[in-house]
Amino acid sequence: MDSFNKNNINSYLKNTVSILTTVFPLALSMGVCSGIGAFSGIIFSIIASIFANESKMKMPIFTAFLIVSYTFNAFGLSTLSVSVIISGLLLIICSLFYKKLKTALYSPFTSAVMLSTALTVTVLFTTDYFGIGAEGNTVTEMLSSYRSLGFHPNWRGVLYGTIVMVIMITFPRKFKKFCKTVNASFIALALTLILNLFLNPPYMKTAINEIGASSLSISSSNIAPNLLEFGKPDILAAVLSGIAMVIPCLFILMSNNAKKKDYIAGGVSNCIFGFACSLPVPELNKKEKISSGITAAAIIALIFVLGASLIERIPVHSCAVVLIVGAWQSISGLKLKNTFSNAVSIICFVLCLAACLILGIVHGIIISALIFAVFCVFARKKATLIDS
């Protein structure tokens, strides 16, 4: 009996630590680098710890994040709210034609959207990695801002970011068992925070891009300035964002042979929680998930209340690299192989990438869907001719 209780306690503690160290650093980094704010990132990490990953089929992590953050920053909370409603309605409609849509997809093309997203994340957040200070919601806007600013990196920040990159790539390979419990991104942020505390004490006033106290305040104008301004929504933008939220659900869930109930559950969680459910949470059974998730959420809240002064000293450079490396690590080798499996899928990927980089993630995803539709029809017709 004692052994049983001990095993339960150990499992509970491991699960709690796993959720905490996986969700918190990624949510914080997303909030900081997307412009939504560190406070919002902490709130979303609490939500994700409790509610995320109810379905075994995980949603496209960074695609959902980019769509939600872009819509929020460019058009405000009211437009984002309408887009969530629209995506929910589209999700229901798509579920009615689930089997027909599933058979229409051609799997090599579906992996291209994930790779395009990873490249988009890399371009968007490299400016935070180097500390250049470029601004914009799309890659073209970022590159235009970059050209006007020139290349003037903050080399101490680059050092922090590079340390994060090395840890996130090498640590999981060297310590596989340990990393199943403690996520490498948490270790990386903690280490660069400690380095920054020693190398950059407040009295030195060394120029370094840190999260800052203002981004942790809900009343600050620096965090989500349109959070409380629920004005008239931009209907066209809401429709496009709603469509863009649903498209990755179709591509990824259907291509992974998801059951209809998993597709609906994953899609609903993505639409309702948006930003929060774009975070990965370790696979647990329901009882472990609830108890460990609530505990992890409570610890995150406690860290914020007691350690806000430390959180504000975390380098933004480190947060940017957490997102960049995380985006690439979310792509499996099989998906990468499928993307370059034949000439047609390569052309599809190049067009998808160009759309995402030039037009932005929302319009890029929609254009990619149209490209995918054309290529899927072409591939099916070609396969039919060969079989006949």
Side-chain angles (χ1 to χ4, degrees):
M1 187 70 177
D2 291 339
S3 176
F4 176 76
N5 290 334
K6 187 176 180 180
N7 289 336
N8 281 352
I9 292 172
N10 288 337
S11 177
Y12 163 76
L13 291 175
K14 285 183 178 179
N15 292 334
T16 301
V17 172
S18 182
I19 293 174
L20 170 66
T21 59
T22 300
V23 174
F24 180 68
L26 188 55
L28 183 68
S29 299
M30 283 180 169
V32 170
C33 296
S34 69
I36 293 176
F39 181 86
S40 297
I42 292 171
I43 295 300
F44 282 125
S45 67
I46 293 173
I47 295 173
S49 297
I50 300 173
F51 297 107
N53 202 37
E54 293 295 342
S55 168
K56 290 183 180 180
M57 295 302 299
K58 292 183 178 180
M59 296 305 302
I61 298 168
F62 290 90
T63 307
F65 154 62
L66 289 176
I67 293 169
V68 170
S69 59
Y70 169 78
T71 306
F72 182 85
N73 281 300
F75 303 101
L77 181 61
S78 57
T79 299
L80 177 59
S81 301
V82 175
S83 70
V84 168
I85 296 173
I86 292 172
S87 63
L89 294 174
L90 291 174
L91 197 69
I92 295 172
I93 295 172
C94 290
S95 67
L96 300 176
F97 305 96
Y98 184 78
K99 289 184 178 179
K100 290 184 178 180
L101 288 170
K102 187 173 181 178
T103 55
L105 289 174
Y106 184 58
S107 58
F109 300 155
T110 60
S111 57
V113 68
M114 295 298 289
L115 186 54
S116 297
T117 301
L119 287 167
T120 302
V121 168
T122 303
V123 175
L124 286 175
F125 299 130
T126 294
T127 182
D128 290 321
Y129 174 17
F130 285 95
I132 300 170
E135 297 179 348
N137 288 317
T138 66
V139 172
T140 51
E141 291 175 357
M142 294 291 288
L143 292 177
S144 176
S145 178
Y146 170 75
R147 284 196 299 269
S148 64
L149 291 171
F151 188 74
H152 303 288
N154 186 316
W155 291 112
R156 181 172 291 180
V158 173
L159 170 64
Y160 294 147
T162 304
I163 290 173
V164 170
M165 185 179 297
V166 171
I167 291 175
M168 289 187 67
I169 293 173
T170 61
F171 200 82
R173 298 178 181 178
K174 296 292 184 181
F175 306 96
K176 292 182 179 179
K177 290 184 178 180
F178 184 71
C179 277
K180 289 182 179 179
T181 304
V182 182
N183 194 281
S185 60
F186 185 87
I187 298 171
L189 284 187
L191 180 59
T192 51
L193 168 61
I194 293 171
L195 283 174
N196 194 42
L197 291 174
F198 281 98
L199 298 177
N200 186 28
Y203 65 84
M204 288 182 65
K205 297 182 179 179
T206 305
I208 185 74
N209 297 332
E210 299 175 348
I211 290 178
S214 60
S215 67
L216 293 170
S217 172
I218 187 63
S219 60
S220 172
S221 59
N222 291 327
I223 169 177
N226 50 2
L227 182 64
L228 301 178
E229 297 177 8
F230 201 89
K232 185 178 179 180
D234 187 322
I235 300 300
L236 178 59
V239 170
L240 293 176
S241 297
I243 294 172
M245 285 182 193
V246 172
I247 289 170
C249 303
L250 297 174
F251 284 161
I252 308 302
L253 293 179
M254 288 183 180
S255 66
N256 288 336
N257 295 319
K259 295 180 180 179
K260 186 175 181 178
K261 64 178 182 179
D262 290 325
Y263 158 71
I264 295 174
V268 168
S269 68
N270 188 60
C271 294
I272 293 175
F273 297 111
F275 186 101
C277 279
S278 66
L279 303 175
V281 177
E283 296 286 355
L284 309 171
N285 65 47
K286 194 169 183 180
K287 291 183 179 179
E288 289 176 333
K289 167 75 182 65
I290 294 173
S291 59
S292 298
I294 291 174
T295 304
I299 293 174
I300 292 172
L302 191 64
I303 290 174
F304 171 67
V305 172
L306 300 180
S309 60
L310 289 176
I311 295 175
E312 69 184 52
R313 297 299 313 279
I314 296 175
V316 173
H317 312 265
S318 301
C319 295
V321 177
V322 165
L323 295 180
I324 293 172
V325 177
W328 286 100
Q329 289 179 338
S330 68
I331 303 173
S332 66
L334 179 60
K335 282 187 171 61
L336 194 62
K337 184 179 179 180
N338 283 340
T339 303
F340 300 97
S341 60
N342 55 65
V344 179
S345 61
I346 292 174
I347 294 172
C348 183
F349 161 68
V350 171
L351 293 175
C352 175
L353 175 62
C356 289
L357 293 181
I358 297 172
L359 302 176
I361 192 66
V362 172
H363 294 87
I365 290 295
I366 294 173
I367 296 297
S368 297
L370 296 175
I371 295 171
F372 281 10
V374 172
F375 275 88
C376 284
V377 171
F378 172 78
R380 294 298 175 189
K381 284 185 176 181
K382 185 178 179 181
T384 303
L385 291 173
I386 292 174
D387 292 337
S388 60

